[in-house]
Amino acid sequence: MTYTPSSTDVLFLLLGACMVLAMHAGFAFLEVGTVRSKNQVNALVKIITDFAASTVAYFTIGYTLAYGIGFFDDAATLSVDNGYGLVKFFFLLTFAAAIPAIISGGIAERARFYPQFTATLLIVALAYPLYEGMVWNGNFAIQAWLEATFGQPFHDFAGSMVVHGFGGWLALVAVLLLGARRGRYPRQGAVAAHPPSSIPFLALGAWTLTVGWFGFNVMSAQAVEHISGLVAVNSLMAMVGGILSAMVLGRNDPGFIHNGPLAGLVAVCAGSDLMHPIGALTTGIVAGALFVVFFTQTQNRWRLDDVLGVWPLHGICGAWGAVAAGIFGQTALGGLGGISLLSQLAGTLGGVVLAMLAGAVIYGGLKASVGIRLDEEQEYEGADLALHKISATPRSES
Protein backbone atom coordinates (compact mmCIF):
# COMPACT_ATOMS: atom_id res chain seq x y z
CA MET A 1 0.00 0.00 0.00
CA THR A 2 1.42 3.38 -1.00
CA TYR A 3 1.83 5.86 1.86
CA THR A 4 0.08 9.17 1.27
CA PRO A 5 1.56 12.17 3.15
CA SER A 6 -0.88 14.16 5.27
CA SER A 7 -0.99 17.82 6.21
CA THR A 8 0.49 16.75 9.56
CA ASP A 9 3.49 15.32 7.69
CA VAL A 10 3.87 18.63 5.86
CA LEU A 11 4.00 20.50 9.17
CA PHE A 12 6.35 17.90 10.68
CA LEU A 13 8.82 18.18 7.81
CA LEU A 14 8.49 21.98 7.68
CA LEU A 15 9.47 22.18 11.35
CA GLY A 16 12.44 19.94 10.59
CA ALA A 17 13.47 22.18 7.70
CA CYS A 18 13.28 25.25 9.95
CA MET A 19 15.38 23.55 12.65
CA VAL A 20 18.08 22.64 10.12
CA LEU A 21 17.86 26.13 8.62
CA ALA A 22 18.62 27.45 12.11
CA MET A 23 21.73 25.26 12.13
CA HIS A 24 23.17 27.54 9.46
CA ALA A 25 23.18 30.31 12.06
CA GLY A 26 25.16 27.86 14.17
CA PHE A 27 27.66 27.36 11.36
CA ALA A 28 27.97 31.13 11.06
CA PHE A 29 28.58 31.86 14.74
CA LEU A 30 30.90 28.90 15.18
CA GLU A 31 33.05 30.42 12.44
CA VAL A 32 32.64 33.98 13.79
CA GLY A 33 33.88 32.87 17.20
CA THR A 34 36.83 30.90 15.80
CA VAL A 35 38.31 33.26 13.19
CA ARG A 36 40.21 36.43 14.03
CA SER A 37 38.13 39.56 14.53
CA LYS A 38 39.16 41.00 11.14
CA ASN A 39 37.34 38.14 9.39
CA GLN A 40 34.09 37.93 11.38
CA VAL A 41 31.90 39.88 8.94
CA ASN A 42 33.12 37.70 6.09
CA ALA A 43 32.11 34.56 8.00
CA LEU A 44 28.55 35.84 8.44
CA VAL A 45 28.23 37.00 4.84
CA LYS A 46 29.57 33.74 3.39
CA ILE A 47 27.10 31.52 5.22
CA ILE A 48 23.99 33.47 4.24
CA THR A 49 24.98 34.08 0.62
CA ASP A 50 26.10 30.48 0.19
CA PHE A 51 22.67 29.40 1.41
CA ALA A 52 21.05 31.57 -1.26
CA ALA A 53 23.34 30.13 -3.93
CA SER A 54 22.59 26.61 -2.69
CA THR A 55 18.85 27.20 -2.92
CA VAL A 56 18.98 28.31 -6.55
CA ALA A 57 21.41 25.54 -7.54
CA TYR A 58 19.43 22.79 -5.79
CA PHE A 59 16.05 24.02 -7.02
CA THR A 60 17.06 24.29 -10.66
CA ILE A 61 19.47 21.35 -11.03
CA GLY A 62 20.55 19.48 -7.90
CA TYR A 63 17.22 18.14 -6.65
CA THR A 64 16.30 16.90 -10.10
CA LEU A 65 19.71 15.25 -10.54
CA ALA A 66 19.37 13.43 -7.20
CA TYR A 67 15.70 12.43 -7.32
CA GLY A 68 14.49 12.92 -10.87
CA ILE A 69 11.88 15.44 -9.70
CA GLY A 70 11.68 18.85 -11.36
CA PHE A 71 9.57 21.90 -10.67
CA PHE A 72 9.04 22.99 -14.28
CA ASP A 73 7.18 20.00 -15.69
CA ASP A 74 3.61 20.28 -14.46
CA ALA A 75 2.30 23.16 -12.35
CA ALA A 76 -0.51 20.95 -11.07
CA THR A 77 1.99 18.89 -9.05
CA LEU A 78 2.73 21.90 -6.84
CA SER A 79 -0.40 21.36 -4.73
CA VAL A 80 -0.30 17.55 -4.48
CA ASP A 81 -0.46 16.20 -0.91
CA ASN A 82 -0.70 19.71 0.55
CA GLY A 83 2.62 20.61 -1.02
CA TYR A 84 4.51 17.82 0.75
CA GLY A 85 6.91 17.47 -2.18
CA LEU A 86 7.82 21.14 -1.94
CA VAL A 87 8.50 20.95 1.80
CA LYS A 88 10.56 17.81 1.24
CA PHE A 89 12.65 19.82 -1.21
CA PHE A 90 13.07 22.55 1.44
CA PHE A 91 14.14 19.99 4.04
CA LEU A 92 16.69 18.30 1.77
CA LEU A 93 17.92 21.69 0.58
CA THR A 94 18.99 22.54 4.12
CA PHE A 95 21.12 19.38 4.06
CA ALA A 96 22.64 20.28 0.68
CA ALA A 97 23.43 23.82 1.84
CA ALA A 98 25.35 22.39 4.80
CA ILE A 99 28.12 21.30 2.40
CA PRO A 100 29.37 24.84 1.55
CA ALA A 101 28.77 25.88 5.18
CA ILE A 102 31.12 23.10 6.27
CA ILE A 103 33.74 24.06 3.67
CA SER A 104 33.53 27.72 4.69
CA GLY A 105 35.05 27.00 8.09
CA GLY A 106 38.04 25.20 6.64
CA ILE A 107 38.98 27.86 4.09
CA ALA A 108 38.27 30.85 6.32
CA GLU A 109 40.39 34.01 6.37
CA ARG A 110 42.06 33.66 2.96
CA ALA A 111 39.51 32.56 0.34
CA ARG A 112 38.22 34.93 -2.33
CA PHE A 113 34.49 35.60 -2.15
CA TYR A 114 33.13 35.07 -5.67
CA PRO A 115 35.22 31.99 -6.54
CA GLN A 116 33.85 30.36 -3.38
CA PHE A 117 30.35 31.49 -4.33
CA THR A 118 30.88 29.81 -7.72
CA ALA A 119 32.19 26.65 -6.06
CA THR A 120 29.01 26.53 -3.96
CA LEU A 121 26.85 26.63 -7.09
CA LEU A 122 28.81 23.78 -8.68
CA ILE A 123 28.92 21.63 -5.54
CA VAL A 124 25.20 21.89 -4.75
CA ALA A 125 24.04 21.64 -8.36
CA LEU A 126 26.26 18.75 -9.45
CA ALA A 127 28.72 17.14 -7.03
CA TYR A 128 26.66 16.60 -3.87
CA PRO A 129 23.45 15.47 -5.65
CA LEU A 130 25.46 12.81 -7.47
CA TYR A 131 26.39 11.08 -4.21
CA GLU A 132 23.09 11.92 -2.52
CA GLY A 133 21.15 10.32 -5.38
CA MET A 134 23.31 7.19 -5.29
CA VAL A 135 22.69 6.62 -1.58
CA TRP A 136 19.19 7.97 -0.93
CA ASN A 137 17.53 7.36 -4.29
CA GLY A 138 19.32 4.28 -5.57
CA ASN A 139 20.72 6.01 -8.66
CA PHE A 140 23.16 4.11 -10.91
CA ALA A 141 22.16 0.85 -9.15
CA ILE A 142 25.05 1.19 -6.69
CA GLN A 143 22.84 0.33 -3.72
CA ALA A 144 21.37 -2.65 -5.55
CA TRP A 145 24.89 -3.93 -6.25
CA LEU A 146 25.94 -3.53 -2.63
CA GLU A 147 22.84 -5.39 -1.46
CA ALA A 148 23.43 -8.21 -3.93
CA THR A 149 27.12 -8.44 -3.00
CA PHE A 150 27.11 -7.89 0.77
CA GLY A 151 23.51 -8.60 1.75
CA GLN A 152 22.46 -5.03 2.57
CA PRO A 153 22.71 -1.60 0.91
CA PHE A 154 24.78 1.24 2.34
CA HIS A 155 22.84 2.73 5.26
CA ASP A 156 23.06 6.41 6.19
CA PHE A 157 19.86 7.47 7.91
CA ALA A 158 20.61 11.18 8.36
CA GLY A 159 23.84 11.91 6.56
CA SER A 160 27.00 11.06 8.53
CA MET A 161 28.72 10.38 5.22
CA VAL A 162 26.25 11.68 2.64
CA VAL A 163 26.28 15.20 4.10
CA HIS A 164 29.00 15.67 6.72
CA GLY A 165 31.60 13.26 5.44
CA PHE A 166 31.17 14.42 1.86
CA GLY A 167 31.53 18.07 2.90
CA GLY A 168 34.52 17.37 5.14
CA TRP A 169 36.52 15.47 2.53
CA LEU A 170 35.68 18.04 -0.13
CA ALA A 171 36.87 20.74 2.28
CA LEU A 172 40.17 18.91 2.75
CA VAL A 173 40.96 19.34 -0.94
CA ALA A 174 40.01 23.03 -0.85
CA VAL A 175 42.23 23.61 2.19
CA LEU A 176 45.17 21.84 0.54
CA LEU A 177 44.79 23.87 -2.67
CA LEU A 178 44.52 27.17 -0.77
CA GLY A 179 47.49 26.60 1.48
CA ALA A 180 47.99 27.90 5.01
CA ARG A 181 47.22 31.44 6.15
CA ARG A 182 50.23 33.71 5.91
CA GLY A 183 52.15 33.69 9.15
CA ARG A 184 50.52 30.49 10.42
CA TYR A 185 53.70 28.46 10.02
CA PRO A 186 56.46 31.09 9.92
CA ARG A 187 59.44 28.71 9.76
CA GLN A 188 60.24 25.02 9.82
CA GLY A 189 58.91 23.48 13.01
CA ALA A 190 57.23 26.67 14.24
CA VAL A 191 53.49 27.17 14.64
CA ALA A 192 51.97 30.63 15.17
CA ALA A 193 48.76 30.33 17.17
CA HIS A 194 45.65 32.17 16.02
CA PRO A 195 43.37 31.81 19.06
CA PRO A 196 39.56 32.10 18.72
CA SER A 197 38.32 35.68 18.67
CA SER A 198 35.23 35.00 20.79
CA ILE A 199 34.57 31.92 22.90
CA PRO A 200 30.98 33.13 23.62
CA PHE A 201 30.21 33.29 19.88
CA LEU A 202 31.88 29.92 19.36
CA ALA A 203 29.75 28.44 22.14
CA LEU A 204 26.59 30.07 20.74
CA GLY A 205 27.30 28.48 17.37
CA ALA A 206 27.88 25.07 18.94
CA TRP A 207 24.68 25.25 20.99
CA THR A 208 22.61 26.38 18.00
CA LEU A 209 23.95 23.52 15.91
CA THR A 210 23.38 21.03 18.71
CA VAL A 211 19.72 21.94 19.21
CA GLY A 212 19.01 22.09 15.49
CA TRP A 213 20.62 18.69 15.02
CA PHE A 214 17.62 16.99 16.59
CA GLY A 215 15.62 18.27 13.63
CA PHE A 216 18.40 17.10 11.31
CA ASN A 217 18.28 13.56 12.71
CA VAL A 218 14.76 12.96 14.01
CA MET A 219 12.95 14.66 11.12
CA SER A 220 14.93 12.57 8.63
CA ALA A 221 12.03 10.13 9.10
CA GLN A 222 10.21 12.62 6.78
CA ALA A 223 6.77 11.56 8.05
CA VAL A 224 5.07 11.50 11.45
CA GLU A 225 4.23 7.82 10.95
CA HIS A 226 7.94 6.94 10.77
CA ILE A 227 9.23 9.06 13.63
CA SER A 228 11.36 7.22 16.20
CA GLY A 229 12.27 8.20 19.73
CA LEU A 230 15.29 5.94 19.37
CA VAL A 231 16.82 8.45 16.96
CA ALA A 232 16.36 11.26 19.48
CA VAL A 233 17.86 9.34 22.40
CA ASN A 234 20.77 8.05 20.31
CA SER A 235 21.49 11.60 19.17
CA LEU A 236 21.48 12.71 22.80
CA MET A 237 23.83 9.93 23.90
CA ALA A 238 26.30 10.50 21.07
CA MET A 239 26.28 14.23 21.78
CA VAL A 240 27.13 13.61 25.44
CA GLY A 241 29.80 11.07 24.55
CA GLY A 242 31.46 13.58 22.26
CA ILE A 243 31.48 16.25 24.97
CA LEU A 244 33.00 13.99 27.61
CA SER A 245 35.82 12.60 25.48
CA ALA A 246 36.66 16.05 24.08
CA MET A 247 36.74 17.40 27.62
CA VAL A 248 39.17 14.74 28.83
CA LEU A 249 41.45 14.52 25.80
CA GLY A 250 41.24 18.25 25.11
CA ARG A 251 42.25 19.06 28.69
CA ASN A 252 39.27 21.34 29.30
CA ASP A 253 39.98 23.48 26.23
CA PRO A 254 36.69 25.29 25.44
CA GLY A 255 37.21 24.98 21.69
CA PHE A 256 37.48 21.20 21.92
CA ILE A 257 34.64 20.92 24.43
CA HIS A 258 32.18 22.87 22.27
CA ASN A 259 33.12 20.91 19.16
CA GLY A 260 32.73 17.65 21.08
CA PRO A 261 28.93 17.46 20.82
CA LEU A 262 29.15 18.25 17.11
CA ALA A 263 31.62 15.39 16.58
CA GLY A 264 29.27 12.98 18.33
CA LEU A 265 26.23 14.19 16.40
CA VAL A 266 28.04 13.99 13.06
CA ALA A 267 28.98 10.39 13.80
CA VAL A 268 25.59 9.18 15.01
CA CYS A 269 23.59 10.44 12.01
CA ALA A 270 24.12 7.29 9.95
CA GLY A 271 23.05 4.69 12.50
CA SER A 272 20.85 6.68 14.87
CA ASP A 273 17.81 4.62 13.80
CA LEU A 274 19.55 1.26 14.41
CA MET A 275 21.94 1.51 17.36
CA HIS A 276 21.36 0.76 21.01
CA PRO A 277 21.88 3.94 23.08
CA ILE A 278 25.05 2.45 24.56
CA GLY A 279 26.35 1.97 21.02
CA ALA A 280 25.48 5.60 20.26
CA LEU A 281 27.30 6.75 23.41
CA THR A 282 30.37 4.76 22.36
CA THR A 283 30.16 6.18 18.85
CA GLY A 284 30.12 9.70 20.29
CA ILE A 285 33.02 9.02 22.65
CA VAL A 286 35.17 7.76 19.79
CA ALA A 287 34.13 10.70 17.58
CA GLY A 288 35.07 13.26 20.21
CA ALA A 289 38.45 11.60 20.60
CA LEU A 290 38.99 11.47 16.84
CA PHE A 291 38.29 15.18 16.56
CA VAL A 292 40.78 16.17 19.26
CA VAL A 293 43.51 13.86 17.98
CA PHE A 294 43.15 14.69 14.28
CA PHE A 295 42.69 18.43 14.87
CA THR A 296 45.90 18.53 16.89
CA GLN A 297 47.74 16.37 14.38
CA THR A 298 46.67 18.34 11.32
CA GLN A 299 47.33 21.75 12.84
CA ASN A 300 50.63 21.13 14.59
CA ARG A 301 52.35 18.23 12.82
CA TRP A 302 50.95 18.04 9.32
CA ARG A 303 50.75 21.86 9.12
CA LEU A 304 47.34 21.70 7.50
CA ASP A 305 45.62 25.03 8.17
CA ASP A 306 42.03 23.86 8.44
CA VAL A 307 40.78 26.81 10.49
CA LEU A 308 37.73 25.23 12.17
CA GLY A 309 38.96 21.66 11.87
CA VAL A 310 36.18 20.73 9.44
CA TRP A 311 38.05 17.75 8.02
CA PRO A 312 38.50 16.11 11.45
CA LEU A 313 34.99 17.12 12.59
CA HIS A 314 32.98 16.30 9.48
CA GLY A 315 35.29 14.25 7.25
CA ILE A 316 36.84 11.89 9.81
CA CYS A 317 33.89 11.75 12.21
CA GLY A 318 31.44 11.41 9.33
CA ALA A 319 33.35 8.45 7.90
CA TRP A 320 33.63 6.93 11.38
CA GLY A 321 29.88 7.32 11.87
CA ALA A 322 29.04 5.46 8.67
CA VAL A 323 31.34 2.60 9.70
CA ALA A 324 30.08 2.70 13.29
CA ALA A 325 26.54 2.14 12.01
CA GLY A 326 27.78 -1.14 10.54
CA ILE A 327 29.29 -2.10 13.89
CA PHE A 328 26.79 -0.98 16.51
CA GLY A 329 23.77 -1.58 14.29
CA GLN A 330 24.40 -5.33 14.53
CA THR A 331 21.99 -7.32 16.70
CA ALA A 332 24.98 -8.89 18.52
CA LEU A 333 25.78 -5.43 19.91
CA GLY A 334 22.19 -4.50 20.76
CA GLY A 335 21.29 -2.92 17.44
CA LEU A 336 18.28 -3.61 15.28
CA GLY A 337 20.24 -5.34 12.51
CA GLY A 338 19.60 -5.19 8.79
CA ILE A 339 22.99 -3.66 8.06
CA SER A 340 26.27 -4.87 6.55
CA LEU A 341 29.67 -3.65 7.75
CA LEU A 342 31.19 -4.37 4.34
CA SER A 343 28.54 -2.24 2.63
CA GLN A 344 29.23 0.52 5.12
CA LEU A 345 32.93 0.39 4.36
CA ALA A 346 32.34 0.37 0.60
CA GLY A 347 29.81 3.22 0.70
CA THR A 348 32.08 5.31 2.91
CA LEU A 349 35.11 4.78 0.71
CA GLY A 350 33.05 5.64 -2.36
CA GLY A 351 31.92 8.89 -0.77
CA VAL A 352 35.47 9.86 0.20
CA VAL A 353 36.78 9.24 -3.32
CA LEU A 354 33.90 11.06 -5.01
CA ALA A 355 34.21 14.07 -2.66
CA MET A 356 37.93 14.41 -3.22
CA LEU A 357 37.57 14.09 -6.98
CA ALA A 358 34.83 16.74 -6.97
CA GLY A 359 37.02 19.01 -4.84
CA ALA A 360 39.98 18.58 -7.16
CA VAL A 361 37.91 19.37 -10.26
CA ILE A 362 35.97 22.32 -8.81
CA TYR A 363 38.60 24.03 -6.67
CA GLY A 364 41.46 23.00 -8.92
CA GLY A 365 39.66 24.43 -11.93
CA LEU A 366 38.85 27.68 -10.16
CA LYS A 367 42.41 28.02 -8.86
CA ALA A 368 43.82 27.56 -12.35
CA SER A 369 41.32 29.88 -14.06
CA VAL A 370 40.49 32.79 -11.73
CA GLY A 371 42.35 32.13 -8.49
CA ILE A 372 40.80 31.25 -5.13
CA ARG A 373 42.96 33.10 -2.62
CA LEU A 374 43.12 36.67 -1.39
CA ASP A 375 46.34 38.49 -2.18
CA GLU A 376 48.86 39.14 0.57
CA GLU A 377 47.71 42.69 1.32
CA GLN A 378 44.02 41.71 1.47
CA GLU A 379 44.74 38.81 3.78
CA TYR A 380 46.82 41.02 6.08
CA GLU A 381 44.07 43.65 6.13
CA GLY A 382 41.41 41.01 6.75
CA ALA A 383 38.52 39.83 4.61
CA ASP A 384 36.07 42.16 6.36
CA LEU A 385 37.67 45.37 5.14
CA ALA A 386 39.15 43.92 1.95
CA LEU A 387 35.89 42.40 0.68
CA HIS A 388 33.03 44.06 2.58
CA LYS A 389 34.49 47.47 3.46
CA ILE A 390 33.43 47.25 7.09
CA SER A 391 34.66 45.57 10.23
CA ALA A 392 32.69 43.72 12.91
CA THR A 393 33.61 46.41 15.41
CA PRO A 394 33.86 49.71 13.48
CA ARG A 395 35.47 52.62 15.26
CA SER A 396 33.05 55.06 16.81
CA GLU A 397 32.72 58.39 15.06
CA SER A 398 34.10 61.29 17.08
Side-chain angles (χ1 to χ4, degrees):
M1 182 178 178
T2 303
Y3 179 75
T4 302
S6 67
S7 57
T8 304
D9 293 323
V10 174
L11 178 60
F12 170 76
L13 202 53
L14 176 61
L15 292 173
C18 291
M19 289 182 73
V20 184
L21 176 61
M23 290 176 68
H24 288 265
F27 282 120
F29 280 100
L30 189 69
E31 186 172 338
V32 166
T34 305
V35 299
R36 290 170 289 181
S37 57
K38 63 182 180 180
N39 296 295
Q40 290 180 322
V41 171
N42 182 244
L44 294 169
V45 172
K46 280 190 301 178
I47 298 298
I48 197 167
T49 54
D50 278 348
F51 189 88
S54 298
T55 301
V56 173
Y58 201 62
F59 183 82
T60 56
I61 301 173
Y63 191 66
T64 302
L65 180 61
Y67 299 101
I69 299 171
F71 298 106
F72 305 102
D73 302 327
D74 184 1
T77 62
L78 299 181
S79 60
V80 171
D81 298 327
N82 301 293
Y84 176 83
L86 295 175
V87 176
K88 181 179 178 180
F89 155 78
F90 181 15
F91 181 68
L92 292 173
L93 160 67
T94 59
F95 282 47
I99 304 292
I102 289 167
I103 296 168
S104 176
I107 64 174
E109 301 201 342
R110 76 273 202 203
R112 292 178 60 200
F113 184 78
Y114 283 108
Q116 173 55 23
F117 186 86
T118 303
T120 293
L121 290 170
L122 294 171
I123 290 165
V124 178
L126 301 172
Y128 168 72
L130 190 64
Y131 185 53
E132 176 191 20
M134 288 180 186
V135 177
W136 286 342
N137 198 47
N139 295 353
F140 306 109
I142 301 297
Q143 289 284 46
W145 180 83
L146 289 172
E147 185 172 10
T149 305
F150 303 121
Q152 295 291 340
F154 177 63
H155 182 87
D156 191 347
F157 179 70
S160 284
M161 190 62 216
V162 174
V163 179
H164 299 285
F166 193 85
W169 286 91
L170 212 163
L172 173 63
V173 177
V175 169
L176 288 170
L177 288 172
L178 268 173
R181 289 168 289 177
R182 290 178 173 85
R184 182 72 172 91
Y185 304 109
R187 62 183 183 277
Q188 187 65 32
V191 177
H194 293 326
S197 59
S198 173
I199 294 299
F201 274 147
L202 188 156
L204 174 64
W207 270 108
T208 304
L209 282 164
T210 298
V211 174
W213 223 297
F214 286 85
F216 197 100
N217 285 1
V218 175
M219 270 72 163
S220 284
Q222 297 187 20
V224 173
E225 183 181 71
H226 304 137
I227 193 172
S228 171
L230 178 64
V231 175
V233 171
N234 280 344
S235 299
L236 174 68
M237 298 302 285
M239 176 194 82
V240 169
I243 294 170
L244 295 176
S245 61
M247 177 187 71
V248 173
L249 291 179
R251 301 179 181 179
N252 300 330
D253 180 278
F256 284 138
I257 289 173
H258 284 94
N259 275 282
L262 310 184
L265 286 163
V266 164
V268 82
C269 289
S272 57
D273 61 327
L274 297 177
M275 296 178 180
H276 188 280
I278 295 176
L281 177 65
T282 305
T283 297
I285 289 172
V286 173
L290 286 172
F291 174 73
V292 173
V293 170
F294 273 89
F295 182 88
T296 304
Q297 186 80 6
T298 55
Q299 297 286 333
N300 298 335
R301 295 194 177 183
W302 297 343
R303 304 167 77 85
L304 177 66
D305 193 15
D306 177 355
V307 181
L308 268 67
V310 299
W311 178 59
L313 182 63
H314 298 274
I316 297 295
C317 292
W320 156 244
V323 174
I327 299 171
F328 297 108
Q330 304 291 339
T331 54
L333 293 176
L336 298 181
I339 193 167
S340 163
L341 178 57
L342 290 177
S343 285
Q344 294 306 109
L345 290 168
T348 300
L349 179 60
V352 169
V353 171
L354 186 58
M356 295 191 75
L357 284 174
V361 171
I362 293 171
Y363 284 100
L366 287 168
K367 181 178 181 178
S369 57
V370 297
I372 57 176
R373 181 164 181 153
L374 296 175
D375 63 38
E376 187 172 357
E377 183 178 348
Q378 289 175 320
E379 189 177 335
Y380 176 80
E381 183 181 31
D384 293 357
L385 291 175
L387 300 178
H388 310 292
K389 311 306 179 187
I390 192 170
S391 69
T393 53
R395 295 176 181 175
S396 300
E397 295 184 2
S398 56

